[in-house]
Amino acid sequence: MKNTRHFVIDFDSTFTQVEALDVLGEISLAEHEEKEERLKELENLTNSGMAGDLSFRESLEKRLALLNAEEKHLGKLVDRLKSKISTSFIRNKEFFDEYHENIYIISNGFKEFIVPIVTELGVKEEHVFANTFRYDENGKIIGFDQDNVLSSNNGKVEMLKSMDLQGDVYVIGDGYTDYEIKAAGLANKFYAFTENVERHNVLDKADHITPSLDEFLYLHKMNKAISYPKNRIKVLLLEGIHEDAEKILKNEGYNVSTYSGALDEEELSEMIKDISVLGIRSKTRLTKKVLENANRLIAVGAFCIGTNQIDLQECVRRGIAVFNAPFSNTRSVVELAIGEIIFLMRGLPDRISEMHRGTWNKSASGSNEIRGKKLGIVGYGNIGAQLSVLAEAIGLDVYYYDLMEKLALGNATKCSSLEELLKKADIVSLHVDGRKENQNLIGEKEFALMKDNAIFLNLSRGHVVDIAALKRNMESGKIKGAGVDVFPQEPKTNQEPFESELRGLPNLIMTPHIGGSTQEAQVNIGNFVPGKIIEYINTGSTTNSVDFPNLQLPILENAHRLIHIHHNRPGIIAHINNVLSQHDCNIVGQYLKTNEQIGYVITDIDKAYNEEVIREMKTIEGTIRFRVLY
């Protein structure tokens, strides 16, 4: 029929996240002495065939020769592939249920492993068109059915010709052979699927680049599995944020792009214009000027502890929720602090430097144990408190000072003032936040209060120490040694040079802002922050937001959720409920929390309501942002 729509879908790297023959190689070559070399060659052959640089039949013959595979390996392959179905396909199972009569899998792969996978999502077995293996008498795979058109060059085109589909045909795939169907005039459009792999010469040929199945369904107004077009949520991750974050956000269906360094104000002002979610670390400054250009921004992820690089007041004013990772790298910073304390008390930075210059200086002069020494911790938050526990465990006497009333852990002693702590401590370690009031918290006056030969650490924020004063006190010998991980001015990328007047000082450990930069910490942060952002977008929950009132919301069931962010003024909640009452909306749940600046109202209502409700809610005076979850 003329208006019938047919959907032709590729298998490898489209229906699944992987190339099946590559996975088969990992299984069949597991014990082979040339495993790594063969797998690399297999990958290269796959990419050459998919990109159109090598004839398909030649690529297939060479790959099978490398595999050393047997029929018995296929069961294990199928088991692995079942866990590798593309995330957006699983998320949109309703599409396969509703359109199974018009969905076709056309692949240059093999039916033996394709059919068991695609039928799990409801694809009809008779709608799978692929190759079949040939085996010898011992079950070894020795080739393929060479009479099958899909084993030859231009095979997908010939298959489509023979199928003679009547109506509109749309092709979803990642390879050049998928584009050839459109080029032959057998499809209305070719959608380059990039959820799992991007082949740039294929992208150039596509009618539309499709980062997930959500995007395709949205374009064809078929998206029923999600309450809003997730594929239209553009995410920008800066400063080399861990790959887990990118993977989690992509799996959710978002359109994610990354940049390895920080961006300056002008660059970010331009790039942020169509961004919905921004992920940064400590070097990117999210200023008022940048936010004035962020018309679509709904959430910011600070993939670090601090948020002083973000204009939180402006974010609140614009209804932008900000999330950070207050605990994820705590252990990493604490371990670095402990290590540096030991190094500095022993004078190891100088001894190590001397050894590299060929000087043998075996001496106990100036080298001390840490046991029994007094550690003064300035800032008793997550990091300071954990440092307190670990330091005490290895024999340090712990003192701490914090502006807030904090419960002492273990045998730590609270100091009533910063001056008291500085006078008592043999070692001073800073763990304060980046608020403006902490500018030059430690300067000439504070260094003068410290003991002679004190050890000093700053693993918190660069601007909290007067660098010139630190230099003078190290040169005079007042400060025996120091560890500095943060600086007032830091390079934006690893390619920029590092300049500091501290360079060259004795018994000084300088590190490039890596206190929290361990693999474990980055994995923790890369998993924690995206989870909070996704939860906020999906449910409205603001747990761990640093600028929004914190609300933990139940899962939305059999209702629509109205999310209203407004300036904290009297009467707005009454106005919201008045609108709902006038339109006979049945409220099944309502949640409200405020802070000094904004009110955050979540209202769950029955699905049946007049669309005029939405328009009126958006126009309530004082509204900052409004959205609906279905």
Side-chain angles (χ1 to χ4, degrees):
M1 294 177 63
K2 186 177 180 181
N3 294 326
T4 299
R5 290 186 291 184
H6 301 283
F7 309 101
V8 174
I9 303 175
D10 182 39
F11 182 75
D12 291 296
S13 295
T14 298
F15 201 100
T16 60
Q17 301 168 28
V18 293
E19 292 286 329
L21 290 186
D22 291 353
V23 179
L24 180 57
E26 293 173 3
I27 296 168
S28 63
L29 298 170
E31 306 298 328
H32 200 283
E33 59 184 11
E34 297 178 355
K35 175 187 174 183
E36 297 305 323
E37 294 86 348
R38 290 199 178 198
L39 288 177
K40 185 62 180 175
E41 189 175 352
L42 191 67
E43 181 183 353
N44 292 337
L45 287 168
T46 298
N47 289 333
S48 295
M50 290 299 100
D53 299 330
L54 184 68
S55 73
F56 175 74
R57 178 160 285 194
E58 184 181 359
S59 167
L60 187 58
E61 288 173 343
K62 288 184 175 181
R63 282 184 285 165
L64 289 182
L66 286 170
L67 283 174
N68 195 38
E70 300 178 24
E71 188 174 10
K72 66 182 182 181
H73 295 135
L74 297 179
K76 189 175 292 186
L77 172 62
V78 168
D79 288 340
R80 289 198 189 179
L81 292 179
K82 284 182 178 179
S83 66
K84 295 293 183 180
I85 297 175
S86 293
T87 305
S88 67
F89 280 48
I90 295 173
R91 185 165 58 240
N92 289 286
K93 190 175 184 302
E94 288 183 10
F95 163 68
F96 293 95
D97 292 338
E98 186 169 349
Y99 294 95
H100 65 277
E101 292 291 344
N102 303 98
I103 296 174
Y104 305 86
I105 305 298
I106 299 183
S107 171
N108 297 119
F110 292 83
K111 280 189 176 183
E112 285 89 337
F113 55 74
I114 294 176
V115 169
I117 304 303
V118 302
T119 51
E120 290 230 331
L121 261 66
V123 177
K124 299 171 72 171
E125 182 173 351
E126 58 268 29
H127 283 191
V128 177
F129 299 90
N131 288 296
T132 54
F133 288 119
R134 287 177 49 243
Y135 311 90
D136 66 13
E137 62 277 8
N138 297 315
K140 183 177 180 179
I141 296 174
I142 57 174
F144 50 87
D145 177 9
Q146 299 204 6
D147 293 331
N148 189 328
V149 294
L150 288 168
S151 71
S152 61
N153 302 336
N154 220 31
K156 289 189 176 182
V157 170
E158 295 304 316
M159 178 58 68
L160 260 293
K161 285 180 181 178
S162 68
M163 292 169 66
D164 192 26
L165 297 175
Q166 298 299 306
D168 296 330
V169 177
Y170 303 102
V171 178
I172 305 171
D174 64 279
Y176 193 85
T177 57
D178 303 304
Y179 157 70
E180 288 178 331
I181 298 172
K182 164 67 187 309
L186 296 169
N188 298 64
K189 287 186 178 181
F190 164 55
Y191 295 83
F193 189 79
T194 60
E195 182 172 324
N196 306 311
V197 66
E198 293 186 13
R199 309 184 198 278
H200 293 289
N201 66 331
V202 176
L203 301 186
D204 294 339
K205 305 290 186 181
D207 294 294
H208 193 89
I209 296 173
T210 307
S212 68
L213 187 59
D214 302 313
E215 171 80 359
F216 177 82
L217 300 181
Y218 175 74
L219 291 171
H220 290 270
K221 297 180 173 57
M222 301 161 63
N223 203 334
K224 297 181 179 180
I226 56 179
S227 60
Y228 49 89
K230 289 187 180 182
N231 53 288
R232 296 286 155 160
I233 293 179
K234 290 188 176 182
V235 180
L236 176 61
L237 302 178
L238 303 179
E239 302 186 61
I241 288 169
H242 195 273
E243 60 186 15
D244 277 8
E246 179 183 1
K247 182 178 179 182
I248 290 167
L249 293 164
K250 277 188 172 181
N251 284 346
E252 189 63 20
Y254 304 156
N255 191 344
V256 183
S257 56
T258 62
Y259 185 79
S260 59
L263 297 174
D264 63 28
E265 190 175 58
E266 292 297 327
E267 292 171 321
L268 187 55
S269 293
E270 182 61 32
M271 289 191 69
I272 204 170
K273 288 179 178 178
D274 63 346
I275 297 300
S276 303
V277 176
L278 177 68
I280 62 173
R281 294 176 73 183
S282 56
K283 294 178 183 177
T284 300
R285 313 299 297 183
L286 192 55
T287 64
K288 180 177 181 180
K289 179 180 177 180
V290 172
L291 291 166
E292 286 172 349
N293 290 275
N295 297 322
R296 296 187 61 186
L297 194 65
I298 59 175
V300 174
F303 287 74
C304 50
I305 294 176
T307 55
N308 61 295
Q309 73 277 35
I310 301 169
D311 187 335
L312 294 177
Q313 295 298 314
E314 188 66 17
C315 284
V316 171
R317 197 179 73 80
R318 293 177 175 273
I320 300 167
V322 179
F323 300 88
N324 69 338
F327 315 109
S328 300
N329 64 2
T330 300
R331 177 71 184 202
S332 298
V333 178
V334 168
E335 287 187 3
L336 181 63
I338 293 290
E340 290 192 355
I341 289 169
I342 295 171
F343 259 54
L344 294 168
M345 288 294 288
R346 298 289 295 270
L348 291 180
D350 290 349
R351 300 293 81 76
I352 293 168
S353 179
E354 289 167 354
M355 290 292 283
H356 279 290
R357 297 196 303 267
T359 300
W360 184 269
N361 183 9
K362 179 176 169 58
S363 171
S365 177
S367 179
N368 300 99
E369 290 184 353
I370 64 170
R371 180 173 49 180
K373 302 299 186 295
K374 294 180 176 66
L375 169 63
I377 300 173
V378 182
Y380 207 61
N382 297 322
I383 293 174
Q386 189 166 146
L387 174 60
S388 173
V389 173
L390 265 66
E392 186 178 319
I394 57 175
L396 285 157
D397 296 333
V398 178
Y399 295 82
Y400 72 92
Y401 171 71
D402 198 293
L403 290 173
M404 304 289 290
E405 186 64 36
K406 297 290 180 71
L407 178 67
L409 301 179
N411 295 314
T413 302
K414 184 180 186 299
C415 293
S416 59
S417 66
L418 177 60
E419 179 179 337
E420 179 189 352
L421 180 140
L422 296 177
K423 288 179 178 179
K424 283 184 176 180
D426 301 301
I427 305 148
V428 175
S429 189
L430 302 187
H431 300 285
V432 298
D433 62 31
R435 69 186 68 181
K436 291 179 182 179
E437 293 80 3
N438 285 334
Q439 177 88 25
N440 289 340
L441 177 69
I442 304 295
E444 194 64 60
K445 173 187 173 184
E446 288 71 28
F447 284 120
L449 291 171
M450 294 182 196
K451 291 182 178 180
D452 291 342
N453 294 316
I455 297 295
F456 177 74
L457 268 66
N458 181 19
L459 277 67
S460 58
R461 297 290 182 271
H463 70 270
V464 304
V465 177
D466 181 338
I467 295 297
L470 173 58
K471 179 183 180 182
R472 287 192 295 271
N473 280 274
M474 290 195 71
E475 288 175 334
S476 70
K478 172 76 174 182
I479 300 299
K480 172 183 176 181
V484 183
D485 185 52
V486 287
F487 303 86
Q489 288 81 40
E490 298 179 356
K492 292 178 182 177
T493 69
N494 289 343
Q495 285 67 51
E496 294 183 21
F498 166 68
E499 301 292 341
S500 174
E501 56 188 300
L502 297 178
R503 287 170 55 182
L505 291 175
N507 205 29
L508 171 65
I509 300 173
M510 289 196 297
T511 47
H513 204 147
I514 56 171
S517 297
T518 61
Q519 288 298 312
E520 293 85 353
Q522 295 311 303
V523 169
N524 290 340
I525 294 171
N527 282 266
F528 181 84
V529 177
K532 294 301 172 186
I533 291 172
I534 290 168
E535 187 179 23
Y536 171 63
I537 293 173
N538 286 354
T539 72
S541 288
T542 53
T543 311
N544 288 108
S545 172
V546 296
D547 63 336
F548 268 38
N550 277 209
L551 269 179
Q552 179 65 50
L553 297 166
I555 296 172
L556 183 63
E557 293 183 350
N558 300 317
H560 286 183
R561 177 163 288 171
L562 312 182
I563 297 177
H564 196 276
I565 306 166
H566 55 268
H567 297 292
N568 190 3
R569 300 172 183 170
I572 291 185
I573 183 67
H575 198 159
I576 289 172
N577 288 336
N578 186 47
V579 170
L580 297 174
S581 175
Q582 287 178 353
H583 291 278
D584 295 321
C585 295
N586 183 42
I587 298 176
V588 296
Q590 192 168 57
Y591 316 89
L592 164 67
K593 205 163 188 181
T594 64
N595 60 24
E596 291 182 356
Q597 290 181 278
I598 64 170
Y600 191 57
V601 179
I602 311 295
T603 309
D604 293 346
I605 63 174
D606 282 343
K607 293 181 178 181
Y609 59 89
N610 191 321
E611 289 297 319
E612 183 67 14
V613 171
I614 304 303
R615 190 193 67 79
E616 290 189 25
M617 293 283 274
K618 290 179 178 179
T619 58
I620 291 173
E621 186 177 354
T623 299
I624 298 172
R625 191 184 293 272
F626 177 80
R627 64 190 178 106
V628 183
L629 300 181
Y630 301 109

